[in-house]
Amino acid sequence: AHANLLTRNLLHPISAKKIPVGLIGNVATHPEFRGKGMMTQLFQELERDAKSKNLKALFLWSDLSQFYQKLDFQAFGNEIRIEIFRSEVGKTLNTGVSFNEINSLNLADSDLAMMGHWRSQTFLSIERSPEEFRKLLRIPDSDIFSCRQDGILSAFFIIGKGADLTNVIHEWGYDPKISFNEFLHAAAHAVFQSFKMDSIIMLAPANKKLDHAPWPAKDHAVCLAKIFESSLKDHENDVFFWGLDSI
């Protein structure tokens, strides 16, 4: 059995307060050793390690919620999921926003800065340096699209990430001069023009105002969590993980 524990900081975008947390990923047990309590022992060791590092919470991403409930992990936070079907998007784009796919190696430092600037501001999200951002963008099958106005990156989105999030727009942002409706239509149009997908999903922070969203939005838990500091529970709906930060 094995699992990875990655120590990161949740960052408040205004006060710059940092909260150390642990992200758990790559959890698996060899088939011959399942049902023998090895994962329970492993997670007990992970928790001891996390507490020794003064981490305030552990977070993980899995559909096996009932299994992790036995390990005292509970659904945490709230995010918005918008599902868009190819049949609902016209072949003609009636907006001034147009996206082109780009290679991460061709992104200038100024592009990364604008991507971070245009991302929807959340109350608490993972701290990420420009160097970490550039490294994460090199994860295979992470497709990046950008829109430029007067040569400056004014909107972007990322769809896919390795074997995960294959049809999910999980990071995005745009100049407030662009409406959310325009952005979403243009992004959907670009994806369906580029890939043979029947539908896509866009993830958004719960505090994002989706005024006049052209497709219905559904609430969904952000992840599974084990919280060690009670004050973090008070900000449960203010935490959002951008897709490149989840493991």
Side-chain angles (χ1 to χ4, degrees):
H2 67 80
N4 293 343
L5 175 62
L6 180 63
T7 300
R8 300 300 301 270
N9 288 317
L10 283 174
L11 178 67
H12 192 294
I14 299 175
S15 70
K17 178 183 178 181
K18 298 179 182 181
I19 302 174
V21 298
L23 310 183
I24 297 175
N26 297 321
V27 180
T29 304
H30 191 284
E32 294 182 7
F33 295 93
R34 290 173 182 168
K36 297 183 179 181
M38 297 190 70
M39 193 56 68
T40 298
Q41 296 178 40
L42 181 60
F43 267 71
Q44 289 173 346
E45 182 60 31
L46 283 175
E47 183 172 339
R48 283 193 290 269
D49 187 30
K51 289 181 176 179
S52 71
K53 296 176 179 177
N54 199 32
L55 304 186
K56 307 306 181 184
L58 292 173
F59 299 103
L60 62 83
W61 290 262
S62 174
D63 295 327
L64 304 176
S65 57
Q66 290 185 337
F67 171 78
Y68 286 106
Q69 283 176 2
K70 298 176 183 177
L71 301 175
D72 296 326
F73 280 79
Q74 303 294 329
F76 181 86
N78 185 37
E79 66 184 14
I80 298 169
R81 297 187 177 186
I82 302 172
E83 187 169 13
I84 307 166
F85 293 90
R86 176 183 289 272
S87 59
E88 299 172 340
V89 178
K91 295 182 179 181
T92 303
L93 184 61
N94 298 316
T95 176
V97 181
S98 180
F99 285 100
N100 294 301
E101 188 171 5
I102 55 175
N103 189 317
S104 64
L105 297 177
N106 296 330
L107 286 169
D109 291 343
S110 58
D111 293 328
L112 291 178
M114 293 308 297
M115 290 167 75
H117 179 69
W118 295 136
R119 281 197 318 183
S120 176
Q121 292 297 307
T122 56
F123 186 73
L124 289 169
S125 57
I126 293 295
E127 180 183 27
R128 185 195 297 171
S129 69
E131 293 77 16
E132 289 171 327
F133 200 173
R134 188 175 291 280
K135 184 177 180 180
L136 289 168
L137 288 173
R138 293 174 183 168
I139 296 174
D141 299 318
S142 299
D143 296 293
I144 311 164
F145 289 76
S146 72
C147 171
R148 294 180 184 275
Q149 296 178 345
D150 299 323
I152 299 174
L153 190 147
S154 59
F156 82 96
F157 69 88
I158 304 171
I159 184 169
K161 176 192 171 187
D164 302 321
L165 305 174
T166 54
N167 69 329
V168 179
I169 296 176
H170 53 82
E171 299 222 11
W172 51 272
Y174 56 89
D175 187 327
K177 295 177 182 177
I178 301 170
S179 73
F180 180 73
N181 197 328
E182 285 180 309
F183 170 83
L184 195 53
H185 266 103
H189 185 269
V191 170
F192 291 132
Q193 289 280 25
S194 302
F195 305 111
K196 294 181 179 179
M197 298 177 179
D198 293 327
S199 66
I200 58 174
I201 294 172
M202 178 178 172
L203 305 183
N207 63 4
K208 175 65 179 176
K209 293 182 180 180
L210 303 179
D211 298 330
H212 309 297
W215 293 282
K218 296 181 180 179
D219 292 336
H220 194 278
V222 172
C223 60
L224 299 173
K226 190 168 188 178
I227 307 299
F228 305 135
E229 185 171 293
S230 59
S231 62
L232 191 54
K233 293 182 180 179
D234 297 333
H235 299 291
E236 179 173 353
N237 291 325
D238 298 316
V239 174
F240 182 74
F241 293 95
W242 293 101
L244 291 178
D245 294 318
S246 63
I247 63 173

